[in-house]
Amino acid sequence: MALENIRVVLVEPAHPGNIGAAARAMKTMGLTQLILVRAVHFPSAEADQRASGAEDLLEKAQSLESLREAISDCRLVMGCSARARSFRHTLLNAREGAQQLIEESQNGESVALVFGPERSGLANADLDLCTHQVQIPTDPSFSSLNLGAAVQLLAYEIFLASRPDAPELKAVPNSATRPALQIEMDHFYAHLERVLEERGFLEGELREVTLTKLRRLFTRARPHSGELKLLHSILKLIVPGDGH
Ligand code: SAH
């Protein structure tokens, strides 16, 4: 079942009530995997109360210290944010995002849906770890939903997309052409950064922007493992002896 492979990741949720609300929202739509990254108060009686019947999801929720850890075995990572950030991700709306999550989770692939903290939303650094950005369409003058409400909306779209009467689903690519895991992408970015550093390409104030643009380019391309191997070999030609 596709739904079992979809994990919901809440990054730094501040209010335990929202964690409970998210669990309840998920359970109504058949989602079961909740991961909390640096939750401010958890476990908590308030979260249990707001879960009202979905406490089992809270009991088996994983608590982790970093988003990177939560998604390292995923190829597809959707970051939910109301705000479009410059030159970062191709934007998908909630429906398109849900459709793609279902398509790629059908083959047993783990995929992730990531939500940010209530006050500040997802930090740019965390959004950079995602492969796509999802926006829930809203009135442009007031675009920020409550965290629990945002989880409910996405969970609902995912549930609809998972039903057999949903529009025909696209074929999933075979294993040779599947996008690389996020951990493989991380190794590649680290190697690329070391090589550019070594050759003096990253000096000056545009350093971070340059790295972000390059990450964005490769994220959009979604290279598979074989292609990453090729890129590593090219980097090794530029700076020999860097055993990444
Ligand atoms: N004040 C924050 C919003 C935080 S709401 C901001 O301006 O970004 C908490 C989380 O709910 C967000 O991090 C995001 O993951 C999700 N969310 C809220 N509204 C959303 C929307 N319109 N589209 C996508 N995600 C949304």
Side-chain angles (χ1 to χ4, degrees):
M1 263 290 280
L3 294 179
E4 288 165 8
N5 302 321
I6 301 176
R7 68 185 68 161
V8 170
V9 184
L10 306 184
V11 179
E12 280 176 32
H15 302 295
N18 281 336
I19 302 177
R24 181 177 184 176
M26 288 169 63
K27 191 166 176 177
T28 56
M29 299 297 151
L31 294 173
T32 54
Q33 279 198 61
L34 176 62
I35 299 185
L36 304 170
V37 174
R38 299 186 303 273
V40 179
H41 301 289
F42 190 78
S44 116
E46 197 184 341
D48 286 348
Q49 253 168 27
R50 286 285 297 278
S52 54
E55 295 90 333
D56 54 323
L57 265 69
L58 297 180
E59 267 156 38
K60 64 180 183 114
Q62 254 184 298
S63 287
L64 299 177
E65 276 310 302
S66 72
L67 175 59
R68 199 179 285 276
E69 260 179 280
I71 58 167
S72 64
D73 59 336
C74 296
R75 293 172 216 279
L76 183 69
V77 182
M78 300 259 173
C80 295
S81 171
R83 286 170 293 147
R85 326 275 172 105
S86 58
F87 71 76
R88 286 200 150 80
H89 293 85
T90 319
L91 281 179
L92 299 176
N93 67 30
R95 191 154 297 171
E96 294 163 335
Q99 184 72 32
Q100 193 161 350
L101 284 164
I102 287 294
E103 280 169 16
E104 301 206 14
S105 61
Q106 268 171 343
N107 261 9
E109 289 286 330
S110 292
V111 299
L113 183 59
V114 182
F115 294 87
E118 293 89 337
R119 281 180 73 83
S120 50
L122 271 180
N124 283 339
D126 281 339
L127 201 54
D128 282 345
L129 298 176
C130 301
T131 60
H132 295 71
Q133 183 185 336
V134 179
Q135 215 176 24
I136 300 165
T138 59
D139 186 310
S141 65
F142 193 66
S143 61
S144 174
L145 279 79
N146 161 267
L147 176 57
V151 173
Q152 183 74 76
L153 243 144
L154 258 311
Y156 173 67
E157 289 292 343
I158 288 169
F159 180 67
L160 289 189
S162 76
R163 287 160 20 128
D165 57 349
E168 206 170 308
L169 299 170
K170 279 193 232 146
V172 182
N174 71 30
S175 61
T177 57
R178 281 183 317 177
L181 295 172
Q182 289 311 105
I183 195 164
E184 298 174 275
M185 294 301 290
D186 283 343
H187 288 153
F188 168 66
Y189 292 137
H191 192 186
L192 180 65
E193 184 174 343
R194 285 197 304 275
V195 166
L196 295 178
E197 187 85 73
E198 175 84 21
R199 302 308 305 250
F201 194 77
L202 289 179
E203 278 151 23
E205 61 200 43
L206 286 178
R207 178 197 163 88
E208 289 310 316
V209 175
T210 303
L211 285 173
T212 305
K213 281 186 175 170
L214 285 169
R215 283 180 73 102
R216 181 64 211 117
L217 171 67
F218 288 107
T219 301
R220 202 165 61 231
R222 302 187 78 196
H224 49 73
S225 304
E227 288 167 334
L228 281 187
K229 226 170 138 186
L230 193 65
L231 290 167
H232 278 297
S233 310
I234 294 171
L235 291 177
K236 277 189 193 148
L237 271 183
I238 300 171
V239 176
D242 183 332
H244 71 89

